[in-house]
Amino acid sequence: MNIEERVQAMNDLPKYIRKSVVITYINQMNKKDIIIGELRGVNPYNSIEVTHLKEIPKEIQHWDIFKGETVLEAHTGIPFLGTPDAIMSIFTLEGLVLYQNEHVYPFYNPFFFPNKDENGILRTGINYEAGVEYTEKIRELSFGRNH
């Protein structure tokens, strides 16, 4: 998709609310991930919300709050361009492209990456300010100066 098509996608995506979609995105660990679920909300140029089924880890399935369930309904918000999480593409189950951004790929923001410090505590980047600035440059490449 080019800039004009991505801008048009921001206007068109709300038409697909309550429809099933496939979302490919970069998660907080800078890895490609996929969610198949129902589009619940669109905040143009900012984020989407999707409802999907999520597997409960086996180690905690026995907890009373899960009542023996192995899968639960989850609601996930994903930014179009976050630091580092961001949406790569949104498709219908029939394969219609609703949104695609070639500027987003694993480790698209070189200033944000998951690593652990000397104490084993997870860090998400090497330079927060530079990461935010880089994300803004990608936003301009993706949507133009006015968005």
Side-chain angles (χ1 to χ4, degrees):
M1 278 186 159
N2 61 35
I3 290 176
E4 291 79 21
E5 291 169 325
R6 280 190 292 275
V7 168
Q8 185 60 45
M10 294 299 117
N11 296 320
D12 292 343
L13 275 169
K15 298 174 189 172
Y16 293 89
I17 290 176
R18 291 189 283 288
K19 305 282 187 203
S20 294
V21 293
V22 178
I23 301 155
T24 305
Y25 67 104
I26 303 306
N27 65 25
Q28 284 288 321
M29 298 303 287
N30 254 325
K31 294 184 179 178
K32 183 177 170 182
D33 211 341
I34 295 174
I35 291 179
I36 299 172
E38 184 178 292
L39 188 61
R40 298 299 292 176
V42 177
N43 186 352
Y45 305 102
N46 188 356
S47 63
I48 63 167
E49 183 179 347
V50 64
T51 300
H52 57 100
L53 297 179
K54 185 174 186 176
E55 189 173 334
I56 300 168
K58 289 187 189 321
E59 324 58 86
I60 62 172
Q61 286 176 4
H62 66 281
W63 290 5
D64 289 342
I65 59 170
F66 298 120
K67 300 179 180 131
E69 298 291 328
T70 58
V71 176
L72 60 85
E73 187 175 274
H75 303 278
T76 301
I78 308 169
F80 283 102
L81 284 168
T83 46
D85 49 338
I87 298 172
M88 296 173 70
S89 63
I90 304 171
F91 290 84
T92 65
L93 293 182
E94 297 75 32
L96 176 66
V97 178
L98 303 179
Y99 172 83
Q100 196 163 30
N101 192 342
E102 71 275 3
H103 301 295
V104 177
Y105 45 86
F107 298 99
Y108 86 96
N109 189 327
F111 298 100
F112 285 92
F113 55 89
N115 65 5
K116 293 185 180 182
D117 66 12
E118 60 279 354
N119 298 319
I121 300 195
L122 183 67
R123 301 184 314 177
T124 57
I126 56 172
N127 186 326
Y128 181 79
E129 291 80 17
V132 170
E133 185 178 317
Y134 188 86
T135 299
E136 287 307 311
K137 288 180 183 178
I138 297 298
R139 179 175 301 284
E140 187 177 321
L141 285 172
S142 299
F143 302 116
R145 290 185 186 264
N146 301 324
H147 298 81

